[in-house]
Amino acid sequence: MNKSTCVDVQRLDVRRGKSLVLDQVDFQLSPGRIIGLLGPSGSGKSTLLRSIVGNQITSDGAVTVLGKPAGHKSLRNRVGYMTQSASIYEDLSTRQNIAYFAKILRQPSAEVDRVLHTTDLAGQAGHLGRDLSGGQRNRVSLAIALLGSPEIVILDEPTVGLDPVLRADLWKMFSQLAATGSCLVVSSHVMDEAMRCDEILLLREGKLLGQMTPAALMESTGAENPEDAFVSLIAAGGTKQVPNAACARAEASGNVRRRRAMNRTLATAGRVLAQVMHDPRTIALMLLVPSLLIGLIAWIFTETDAFSRIGPAMIALFPFVVMFLVTSIATLRERRSGTLERLLSMPMAKGEFIFGYTLAFTLVAIVQTVIAVSFAIWVCGLHIEGQLWLLFAVAALDALLGISLGLMASAFAHTEFQVVQFMPALVIPQFLLAGIILPREQLPGALQAIGDWLPLSPAIDALSDAAAGTTDSATAINMLLIAAWIAAALLIGSLTLRRRTA
């Protein structure tokens, strides 16, 4: 890769199924320039941008960015990326959105104020994402991409939905960024925006028709406007003119340190808790529903002593199920909104993302456990012979088990329908075989063997022992088994998340 080149794409192919989305694309980009990636919708612009960021699985060819393979971890705080969708959290305010990503990139609070001012969002800093207009959401997404003044800024149709005045202001800002040495790649299907660029890439049906300056495009085609020039270029079969340009940028330091990883995990946990606080219905679901269901069971068996037998199992079941339901859509929401793609293009490890969610919901689970166990004992009359602290500890561990399995399911799923499919696979067998309806020793041999290895089984056994005061080494083993299931589910969930899309 030439020192005057910041992006080098060589013979790039991307296939999606049997379709060739990008076909033998070659070009080089230089620092300090605005590069317009122009072409009609469906021409492969977004796929090409994802390839430069490193979020796209490619079929052939090579993409080198700042001397490293695209997507290399050392690039994740050097390349700013704005996805085509807004990619913000609608249940966080404008400032909270930007501040969270600033923490991931280790940027100071002053940088949050700078990009708020740059994108004219200071007046909307306290507004929730869901209350913003489409254009305002795009500006929040753009502000995030500009955090830290990255060396390369990838912007997928940043001016869509903006009024002409703000659009002109943004292009002025793009010119100022390029003047500092940054390379900006701006995609658009509006050909008039070509004239604002230093250089343009013309893409159609996955093929690069040409790379040239806007003046060269107009001169070579003799057209009166960019749209006619593009049509003329298509008719001529395209020409791949690649002008030379110079200017190099020094590489920043590479590897992410462990303390930074912890900061990103804590930032994610704080962000998730802030989202939860903006959603009272979810708070009610997590904190109150388990207690209400336990109360319903106690009411049903009010004339018998059956609740004393099954009460511990209900403490295990209902918090487990509720936390599973809430967390099973966690990464799915991130994937649908585009925030997951944006996060994984930053210096955010997959494990940090999963453990950030785990930490946030663990704090919720502790509160949930205190409410549910207290309600079962002091309102529903569940008789406890053992130590209360141990009962609370096992119940909290059980809720954390539901969180970890939910996050694992969420990492696997790509649609809400797939999440629903995990319910019968991961929850119903445990309800039937883990000892809630019948003690496992009363089940047929094969079913008993299956039940003994279900994640919820050691939780029910440990809670029953803690309630009865019969704790021994078996209780400690059961708690270790719960912890092992939690660790395995979180590890599988982390490994399942994909940094790159097909």
Side-chain angles (χ1 to χ4, degrees):
M1 182 173 175
N2 191 297
K3 289 185 178 181
S4 64
T5 301
C6 59
V7 177
D8 186 5
V9 177
Q10 298 181 4
R11 303 181 67 80
L12 177 63
D13 282 354
V14 174
R15 291 185 178 275
R16 191 167 293 127
K18 295 183 179 180
S19 301
L20 191 60
V21 182
L22 293 178
D23 184 7
Q24 295 290 288
V25 174
D26 283 282
F27 61 86
Q28 292 183 335
L29 304 180
S30 300
R33 297 173 72 80
I34 302 175
I35 312 298
L37 177 59
L38 302 169
S41 297
S43 59
K45 299 189 300 298
S46 295
T47 301
L48 180 54
L49 294 182
R50 285 197 297 268
S51 299
I52 297 173
V53 174
N55 287 356
Q56 178 68 51
I57 296 175
T58 60
S59 304
D60 198 8
V63 182
T64 306
V65 179
L66 298 172
K68 303 287 185 181
H72 191 274
K73 61 183 180 181
S74 66
L75 298 173
R76 292 174 194 158
N77 58 355
R78 304 173 67 190
V79 179
Y81 179 38
M82 175 183 172
T83 58
Q84 192 172 50
S85 59
S87 302
I88 65 171
Y89 298 102
E90 295 200 347
D91 41 8
L92 292 182
S93 70
T94 297
R95 180 177 290 278
Q96 286 175 321
N97 266 286
I98 299 172
Y100 167 61
F101 287 101
K103 289 179 182 177
I104 299 301
L105 294 169
R106 297 186 298 114
Q107 295 298 315
S109 57
E111 182 69 1
V112 176
D113 294 327
R114 183 188 71 83
V115 297
L116 278 169
H117 176 74
T118 298
T119 52
D120 195 26
L121 285 168
Q124 289 77 40
H127 296 184
L128 293 180
R130 59 173 171 258
D131 297 329
L132 300 175
S133 68
Q136 289 169 337
R137 285 195 292 268
N138 281 348
R139 277 189 279 157
V140 177
S141 187
L142 175 60
I144 293 166
L146 298 178
L147 284 166
S149 301
E151 296 167 61
I152 299 175
V153 184
I154 306 295
L155 304 173
D156 198 348
E157 300 196 353
T159 58
V160 171
L162 301 184
D163 63 78
V165 174
L166 183 56
R167 184 178 299 176
D169 289 342
L170 286 180
W171 278 103
K172 182 179 179 180
M173 181 189 66
F174 295 162
S175 298
Q176 292 170 346
L177 286 170
T180 67
S182 295
C183 173
L184 282 80
V185 184
V186 183
S187 77
S188 178
H189 60 269
V190 181
M191 293 304 300
D192 287 344
E193 294 194 330
M195 305 308 294
R196 300 178 182 268
C197 302
D198 299 313
E199 190 176 331
I200 53 176
L201 299 170
L202 296 171
L203 199 66
R204 182 173 185 265
E205 296 181 351
K207 293 181 179 292
L208 184 64
L209 300 182
Q211 178 180 8
M212 63 196 72
T213 65
L217 172 65
M218 303 301 292
E219 182 179 350
S220 64
T221 59
E224 295 182 357
N225 58 68
E227 188 170 339
D228 290 342
F230 184 59
V231 173
S232 298
L233 195 63
I234 293 172
T239 175
K240 295 187 179 181
Q241 296 173 252
V242 183
N244 294 324
C247 187
R249 295 291 301 267
E251 285 194 15
S253 60
N255 295 330
V256 178
R257 295 176 182 151
R258 290 182 182 177
R259 61 181 179 81
R260 296 175 183 172
M262 178 57 70
N263 289 337
R264 289 190 291 269
T265 299
L266 293 174
T268 300
R271 184 262 296 173
V272 173
L273 286 174
Q275 290 179 277
V276 170
M277 295 304 294
H278 286 137
D279 189 355
R281 285 177 292 186
T282 298
I283 294 175
L285 172 67
M286 290 189 291
L287 299 186
L288 301 180
V289 168
S291 296
L292 294 177
L293 292 174
I294 290 171
L296 179 61
I297 294 296
W299 193 3
I300 291 173
F301 294 103
T302 189
E303 301 298 330
T304 70
D305 61 353
F307 183 67
S308 296
R309 181 181 65 81
I310 66 173
M314 296 302 101
I315 293 175
L317 176 65
F318 293 134
F320 170 87
V321 171
V322 168
M323 296 311 294
F324 176 89
L325 288 173
V326 171
T327 56
S328 64
I329 61 169
T331 61
L332 180 61
R333 288 180 64 195
E334 300 259 10
R335 189 179 289 112
R336 289 182 59 196
S337 68
T339 51
L340 180 61
E341 180 183 358
R342 166 169 260 161
L343 277 172
L344 294 183
S345 70
M346 293 180 172
M348 166 74 83
K350 296 182 288 184
E352 296 164 7
F353 175 81
I354 289 291
F355 288 122
Y357 264 95
T358 304
L359 179 58
F361 281 113
T362 296
L363 297 176
V364 176
I366 291 172
V367 178
Q368 178 200 68
T369 297
V370 170
I371 294 173
V373 174
S374 300
F375 187 84
I377 295 172
W378 290 296
V379 177
C380 300
L382 180 65
H383 183 64
I384 299 297
E385 294 286 347
Q387 296 176 306
L388 276 179
W389 72 266
L390 183 59
L391 189 69
F392 280 111
V394 177
L397 203 59
D398 168 62
L400 181 54
L401 177 63
I403 292 169
S404 61
L405 290 175
L407 289 172
M408 183 184 73
S410 182
F412 269 101
H414 288 268
T415 65
E416 291 91 340
F417 181 67
Q418 290 178 354
V419 169
V420 172
Q421 291 173 331
F422 281 110
M423 283 294 295
L426 293 177
V427 175
I428 294 178
Q430 305 199 63
F431 176 75
L432 297 175
L433 304 177
I436 296 174
I437 297 178
L438 284 176
R440 292 197 304 280
E441 56 269 18
Q442 296 182 21
L443 296 173
L447 294 181
Q448 181 179 340
I450 294 173
D452 287 340
W453 285 98
L454 291 175
L456 195 57
S457 295
I460 291 174
D461 291 347
L463 277 168
S464 297
D465 291 343
T470 57
T471 54
D472 53 18
S473 59
T475 305
I477 291 173
N478 282 325
M479 294 180 72
L480 288 174
L481 286 174
I482 300 170
W485 273 111
I486 292 170
L490 293 177
L491 178 61
I492 293 171
S494 299
L495 295 175
T496 301
L497 280 180
R498 288 187 177 183
R499 195 173 290 277
R500 296 187 174 192
T501 58

